[in-house]
Amino acid sequence: MIKTIDRFSVGALSELLIKKEISAVELTEYCFEKIASRNSDIGAFITLDEEGALAAAREADRKRASGESASGLLGIPFAVKDNLCVLGMRTTCGSHMLENYVSPYTATAVGRLIDSGAVVIGKTNMDEFGMGNATNTSALGLTRNPHDTRCTAGGSSGGSAAAVAAGLVPFALGSDTGGSVRQPAAFCGAVGFKPSYGAVSRYGLLAYASSLDTVGVIGADVESCAATYREMSGYDALDRTSKDYDKNSLPIDVSKLKIGVPYALLDGVSKDVKGAVNDIIDRARSLGASIVPVELPSLDACLGSYYVIASSEASSNLGRYDGVRYGYRPESYDSVEELFVRSRTEGFGEEVKRRILLGTYCLTGEARDGYYKHALAARKYITEKMCEIFSSVDFVFMPVSTDIAPKFEDLIKKTPTERYLDDCYCVISNLSGIPSLSLPVGRGRGGMPVGVQIMADKGFDARLLALGSALERGSET
Amino acid sequence: MATKRIDVSALCLLSKLNIGDGDKARIEEELCEFADFAAVLDAFAAHDMSAEDGGAAELRADTLKNEASELSGSYVTVPLTVKEARDDQND
């Protein structure tokens, strides 16, 4: 049995598999051993499928031996956020509502990875229906930061980020509606990639806010994310909003790049985050990039628009959970109305109910013109503004969050609106549909990781990953 | 948009949720706090018409034929106003 694997990235593991220094079955067993030793502390996984994973690993070993496949993901284990369907596995969305729901089909993104030979280990914890940024609203338990279990892992894909950061899997799928891949990746010291809206099919992703939801990936390094993105992206007839974008990362000449930095926004972040942004600016400069100031749209407008639109779409999307077709249903009820109300009241958690009520309010006759329509108008303005910015610069550097991962005891002191404000640097990418990469850049107070976000124009996902990779290599030298 | 009180009981009726009386006041306060914050969107009222013309739909897809317009109908499933919900309850 293998004692330790030093580099737990897709590239490093693939090399070990190709050189036959390890088999896919041994690698899968190694993951389950590590999960057994760490998961009770951090709560990253909520469903494990050891039997299915070992069967898939045996098949991967067979394909490699027979030369049937040469995919870079052949035999590589990975985890799936629990709002993406995998045939025969529970898909709970972190909710009591779907606690016992077993999916009858597999999401396109997951299916493409399985087809390439990657091995599903299990499902990871998340904020209920993706609503939260600390993985503390899940009905299935709390996820803790592997670097300090008193701190949050971020959210809503906190389980996926914690699993990667703890070295339990080399990559994990997440979903990003307003920063849910990038922020937990930054808090846990992993790489988080949110592709352009439409680059990855949403088929099989349980909907939160359909016009913002994006399937993303959290990886041990940029290449782990890039390898995953190459396999799972592309048009899917089952999601009519999906589209083919260029997915091949060509080498990028950083010295020819112009990178924008919204310096005014750095006044609102902690010393650790400001230091990380300055560090990545220095790194890009040392590779020859020119850095120029840019002015982004008002973050307050972005946040207001995001929460109005996301909550409005959520109130509609979550209308399907009524106890009739699937999900939680009370044992007894006297009328259909009581079935609806009790199923939803007992099945949903507090944060989900709050956002359903907020969304319902934004769509009512008396508020629709004042909030929902204005939010759409703001979104249009924000998108136009981002297009304008990317006509003059290639990329933009941004903070991911105002500070490092907070302690749970500090988080619970905040009001819901104060917690929403923590998403201010991330939602702009979702509103405008552009790709963003969260890159770990050093450590802050208490040794906690700090991340910086890089944004690119819509469809430039491969170029963004190429820049991320160049900056990552720059940090190693 | 001017901030006003939010009738949580009516919203519960519309969204088929039952919130205890003790929680209603707290949730109303939380929703009002957010509504105050979101009033920043008033500044974008001048863009209303262009957004209505499909600005938001365009954001959902880059497909040549904009399929998102077909989806957009499903986002708004609350045709009732709060007043109508309240009237329904009284009926």
Side-chain angles (χ1 to χ4, degrees), chain A residues 197 210-211 240 243 245 301 307 316 337 344-345 350 354 357 366 370-371 374 376-377 379 381 383 415, chain B residues 1 15-16 18 26 30 33-35 41-42 44-45 47-48 56 59-60 62-63 67 74-75 77-78:
Chain A
Y197 181 81
S210 307
S211 75
R240 299 301 295 274
K243 188 182 173 183
Y245 289 110
Y307 272 101
S316 172
E337 178 71 10
R344 292 167 64 76
T345 301
E350 190 179 321
R354 184 183 293 115
L357 292 172
E366 66 180 39
Y371 289 108
H374 289 187
L376 293 183
R379 182 181 191 173
Y381 167 79
T383 305
T415 67
Chain B
M1 188 178 184
S15 45
K16 308 285 185 203
N18 187 7
R26 177 179 54 80
E30 289 168 356
E33 187 189 2
F34 179 79
L41 297 172
D42 288 354
F44 295 90
H47 293 263
D48 264 5
L59 295 170
R60 296 187 191 116
D62 272 354
T63 46
E67 304 292 343
S74 65
Y75 291 136
T77 58
V78 190

Side-chain angles (χ1 to χ4, degrees), chain A residues 432-448:
Chain A
S432 53
I434 61 174
S436 293
L437 183 74
S438 166
L439 201 64
V441 183
R443 298 294 175 104
R445 304 184 305 284
M448 294 302 286

Side-chain angles (χ1 to χ4, degrees), chain A residues 94-114:
Chain A
S95 179
H96 183 42
M97 177 64 84
L98 293 175
E99 203 169 350
N100 298 309
Y101 173 73
V102 175
S103 174
Y105 68 106
T106 297
T108 297
V110 181
R112 287 179 176 176
L113 296 175
I114 292 172

Side-chain angles (χ1 to χ4, degrees), chain A residues 84-159:
Chain A
L84 282 155
C85 293
V86 181
L87 174 67
M89 289 179 77
R90 281 199 317 166
T91 300
T92 69
C93 266
S95 179
H96 183 42
M97 177 64 84
L98 293 175
E99 203 169 350
N100 298 309
Y101 173 73
V102 175
S103 174
Y105 68 106
T106 297
T108 297
V110 181
R112 287 179 176 176
L113 296 175
I114 292 172
D115 289 346
S116 71
V119 175
V120 179
I121 293 286
K123 308 291 286 290
T124 53
N125 199 15
M126 57 180 283
D127 280 304
E128 186 177 7
F129 285 99
M131 298 178 193
N133 51 20
T135 316
N136 64 342
T137 68
S138 171
L140 286 88
L142 207 61
T143 296
R144 297 175 181 278
N145 196 306
H147 297 277
D148 182 344
T149 52
R150 293 170 301 173
C151 297
T152 83
S156 64
S157 311

